Amino acid sequence: MTPVFLLSFLVLILRTEAQVPDACVLSDTNRPPENSDITVVCGTKFMDLSIYICPVYQALYNQSLMVLNNQFNKPECFGTANMTAVPPVLKFKIPLNESAIAACNSIFKVTTEVGTGQFADFSNVQFINISGVINSIDPASGMITYRPQIMYMFSCRYPMQYLLNNTEVAVSGVKVAMRGNNGSFISSLDLKLYNDEQYLVPLVIPSTGLTLKTKIYVAVTATNLTDRFNVLLDRCYATTEPYPAVNSFYDLFVGCTRDAQTKLALNGVAQKAYFSFEAFRFVKHKNQTVSTFYLHCVTRLCEVSSCSSFLPTCNGSKRRKREIQEVSDAATVTSPPIVVGQQGSGLQSEDYSSPVVAVIICIVILTIVVVAMAAYVVLHNRRKPLIQ
C-alpha cells in the first residue's frame, strides 16, 4: 500500500471508531482530556474560557455535550467550536455582569480580606470571585456508560480597587478616554470635570488657563455596573508630573485628611462619586505663566451593604489605615491638559521681558507728549484776537 492510501485508511478508522473531526486527526491534542486543556482569560468585559476540543472527541463527546455548570436546557450556556484554530478549541464567553453570570449558575462571591502584597497598607480590601465548571453531558440512557465524566473548573478573582490616574489638570477641553486592562472588573469607570455643582455643564477651559480659585467639580462614575456595588473614593491627589507614583504630591483628600477647599459631595452611596476643589498653583511654578498639574484618584467598588465600613472613621481613636500611594494601574482615564493661569493677581514684571517693558514705556510717553501738544494748540488758538 502507498503512504497516502495508508493515511486515508487510518483516517477512516479513527472517524468510524472515535468520531474524530478531520481537524483533530493529526493534532497534538488528539489525546485523552487533561487538566491543562482549559485556558481562562479574566478580561475587562468578559471571562473567556477556551478548552481543547480534540480530547473531548477522544472521550466520545462533542461541543453539543459540553456545558457550563450542567445548565443543558439553556442555549447561552453552551460553547462555540472553532475547528480552524490550531489546535481546535471550544470557546465560552461569559459577560461580566451579575445577571449573565447567574444565568448559567456560575458562582459570584464577594470576599473581604486584610490587605496584603500591593494592598498591604489597606485595612480591608474586597475581591470578586467568579467560578464554575464546564462539564460533559452523558447521553447514555442505560444503567452504565463507557464515557468518562469530563469537568474543567475555572475561576477569576478581581480586586475591587482601582487607580484613576493621568487625568491632567491643565488646558482647555476635557475629553476622557478609557484604556481597559486585563484583570479590571470595571472597564467603564471614568472621571470627568464639570463647571457646576449639578454636574451637568462640562468644564471648558480657555487656553490662558483657569482663574485661581475657580471651582472644579469632579465626577467619578461607573456605568454598566450591577446595583450590588457603589463607587468609593479613597484618595485624590495632584502632582506636577503625569505619573501617580511620585515623591512630590498634594493630597486633596485621603482618609480623614482633607484640603480646606475640597468638598466631598457624594461618596460610597451610589454608582458615582462627587467632589469639588478650587484651582490652585504649585509654588514651584511661580516663574511660569501657567501652572499645570495632574489629578489622580484611588477608587474602589464596595458592596452596598458594606460600603459604610470602608468609609474613614475620624473620631481620633479609630482612624483607618492610610491608603497606599501605589496601587495597581487597573483603570486609567486621561484628559488633555488643564492650565491654571495668573488672572486676577495683577501683572508681574517678572512675566515680561525687558524689550516688552521698554516698548510699553515708550508708548505711554509718546501718548502723553501727543496729548500735551494737542492741548497746547487748542489753548493757543483761543487766545488769538479776531481780525476786524
Side-chain angles (χ1 to χ4, degrees), residues 7-26 30 57-58 60 83:
L7 180 59
S8 300
F9 184 68
L10 177 61
V11 168
L12 288 174
I13 293 175
L14 288 172
R15 293 194 64 180
T16 301
E17 295 185 356
Q19 300 179 350
V20 177
D22 293 340
C24 290
V25 171
L26 300 178
N30 189 19
Y57 277 91
Q58 272 278 337
L60 304 179
M83 305 305 292

Side-chain angles (χ1 to χ4, degrees), residues 255-257 311-320:
C256 298
T257 304
L311 291 169
T313 303
C314 303
N315 59 7
S317 59
K318 296 183 179 180
R319 283 182 176 267
R320 190 176 64 176

Side-chain angles (χ1 to χ4, degrees), residues 182-237:
N182 284 344
S184 303
F185 185 61
I186 297 302
S187 60
S188 53
L189 192 66
D190 64 3
L191 184 154
K192 294 182 180 178
L193 306 177
Y194 292 90
N195 192 50
D196 63 316
E197 58 184 344
Q198 286 77 38
Y199 296 86
L200 298 175
V201 182
L203 185 65
V204 178
I205 304 161
S207 58
T208 53
L210 289 171
T211 303
L212 289 169
K213 296 187 70 63
T214 296
K215 276 273 192 179
I216 300 174
Y217 296 89
V218 184
V220 177
T221 307
T223 53
N224 300 321
L225 180 64
T226 171
D227 292 339
R228 189 169 174 175
F229 301 107
N230 288 338
V231 169
L232 176 66
L233 299 181
D234 278 322
R235 178 191 181 205
C236 286
Y237 60 102

Side-chain angles (χ1 to χ4, degrees), residues 197 271 302:
E197 58 184 344
Q271 294 189 356
C302 56

Side-chain angles (χ1 to χ4, degrees), residues 26-326:
L26 300 178
S27 173
D28 292 339
T29 60
N30 189 19
R31 51 162 174 73
E34 297 178 357
N35 291 335
S36 60
D37 289 346
I38 186 169
T39 300
V40 181
V41 177
C42 304
T44 59
K45 296 181 179 179
F46 300 93
M47 286 176 59
D48 290 296
L49 314 177
S50 178
I51 61 174
Y52 295 147
I53 199 170
C54 296
V56 172
Y57 277 91
Q58 272 278 337
L60 304 179
Y61 295 97
N62 58 37
Q63 58 266 32
S64 67
L65 297 174
M66 300 296 295
V67 67
L68 285 168
N69 305 303
N70 208 37
Q71 301 299 300
F72 57 86
N73 59 341
K74 298 180 179 180
E76 66 269 28
C77 300
F78 287 83
T80 302
N82 183 354
M83 305 305 292
T84 62
V86 180
V89 292
L90 178 61
K91 289 181 171 291
F92 295 81
K93 184 178 287 287
I94 305 175
L96 284 182
N97 60 70
E98 199 167 4
S99 60
I101 293 168
C104 292
N105 209 33
S106 294
I107 299 172
F108 185 96
K109 185 178 181 181
V110 177
T111 60
T112 301
E113 305 172 18
V114 176
T116 59
Q118 63 183 348
F119 301 112
D121 289 341
F122 287 77
S123 55
N124 287 301
V125 176
Q126 287 190 310
F127 292 86
I128 293 173
N129 293 274
I130 303 169
S131 60
V133 63
I134 300 172
N135 59 277
S136 58
I137 304 171
D138 196 330
S141 57
M143 295 181 63
I144 65 170
T145 183
Y146 292 98
R147 294 181 176 88
Q149 176 68 38
I150 302 178
M151 296 180 66
Y152 294 107
M153 288 182 284
F154 63 88
S155 66
C156 278
R157 185 171 184 263
Y158 294 93
M160 293 169 61
Q161 184 82 33
Y162 302 90
L163 179 62
L164 289 169
N165 65 10
N166 275 4
T167 298
E168 186 174 328
V169 182
V171 125
S172 62
V174 182
K175 293 183 180 178
V176 178
M178 170 63 66
R179 295 196 302 269
N181 299 301
N182 284 344
S184 303
F185 185 61
I186 297 302
S187 60
S188 53
L189 192 66
D190 64 3
L191 184 154
K192 294 182 180 178
L193 306 177
Y194 292 90
N195 192 50
D196 63 316
E197 58 184 344
Q198 286 77 38
Y199 296 86
L200 298 175
V201 182
L203 185 65
V204 178
I205 304 161
S207 58
T208 53
L210 289 171
T211 303
L212 289 169
K213 296 187 70 63
T214 296
K215 276 273 192 179
I216 300 174
Y217 296 89
V218 184
V220 177
T221 307
T223 53
N224 300 321
L225 180 64
T226 171
D227 292 339
R228 189 169 174 175
F229 301 107
N230 288 338
V231 169
L232 176 66
L233 299 181
D234 278 322
R235 178 191 181 205
C236 286
Y237 60 102
T239 67
T240 56
E241 301 294 333
Y243 315 107
V246 295
N247 295 325
S248 177
F249 59 88
Y250 181 75
D251 277 323
L252 296 176
F253 64 86
V254 53
C256 298
T257 304
R258 189 178 307 172
D259 171 78
Q261 309 307 321
T262 299
K263 309 295 181 186
L264 271 170
L266 192 70
N267 196 25
V269 297
Q271 294 189 356
K272 58 186 68 175
Y274 293 152
F275 73 94
S276 65
F277 66 99
E278 295 183 358
F280 55 83
R281 290 172 57 85
F282 276 86
V283 174
K284 64 189 296 183
H285 293 164
K286 63 181 180 180
N287 292 325
Q288 299 179 15
T289 305
V290 295
S291 179
T292 301
F293 62 89
Y294 299 78
L295 183 64
H296 315 280
C297 286
V298 177
T299 309
R300 79 169 82 192
L301 304 179
C302 56
E303 276 195 297
V304 172
S305 60
S306 62
C307 283
S308 58
S309 65
F310 289 91
L311 291 169
T313 303
C314 303
N315 59 7
S317 59
K318 296 183 179 180
R319 283 182 176 267
R320 190 176 64 176
K321 294 168 70 175
R322 178 181 175 86
E323 268 55 55
I324 54 177
Q325 295 172 17
E326 294 185 38

